[in-house]
């Protein structure tokens, strides 16, 4: 089985026909999903349920060294 050569590919220079439609469909689907995600994130993101933490860490305990055998 031989490898395909660039000369054998029918649409090497430009996409034509069905392949061009598939490429545009993939691009439009990606843009549409991004738009839907952005809108749903801005509508359903609830910032009121965040947990506020007021305690600060004052002392960091030293770690115990683990002996390597």
């Amino acid at each position: 089985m031989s490898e395909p050569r660039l000369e054998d590919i029918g649409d090497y220079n430009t996409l034509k026909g069905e392949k061009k439609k598939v490429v545009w469909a993939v691009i439009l689907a990606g843009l549409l999903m991004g738009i839907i995600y952005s809108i749903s994130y801005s509508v359903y993101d609830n910032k009121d349920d965040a947990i506020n933490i007021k305690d600060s860490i004052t002392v960091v305990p030293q770690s115990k060294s683990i002996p390597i055998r």
Side-chain angles (χ1 to χ4, degrees):
M1 183 173 213
S2 64
E3 294 290 323
R5 300 180 307 158
L6 292 177
E7 293 82 15
D8 297 337
I9 297 174
D11 58 347
Y12 173 66
N13 292 327
T14 59
L15 289 175
K16 296 179 182 174
E18 188 66 26
K19 289 184 181 182
K20 192 171 190 175
K21 291 178 184 176
V22 170
V23 169
W24 279 109
V26 170
I27 291 171
L28 291 175
L31 289 173
L32 184 64
M33 286 190 299
I35 291 169
I36 291 171
Y37 175 78
S38 298
I39 292 171
S40 63
Y41 182 78
S42 65
V43 170
Y44 295 110
D45 184 34
N46 191 0
K47 294 181 177 92
D48 297 335
D49 65 349
I51 300 172
N52 295 327
I53 300 173
K54 296 180 181 177
D55 295 337
S56 62
I57 299 174
T58 56
V59 177
V60 177
Q62 295 180 353
S63 64
K64 296 180 180 179
S65 62
I66 301 173
I68 301 175
R69 297 181 187 192

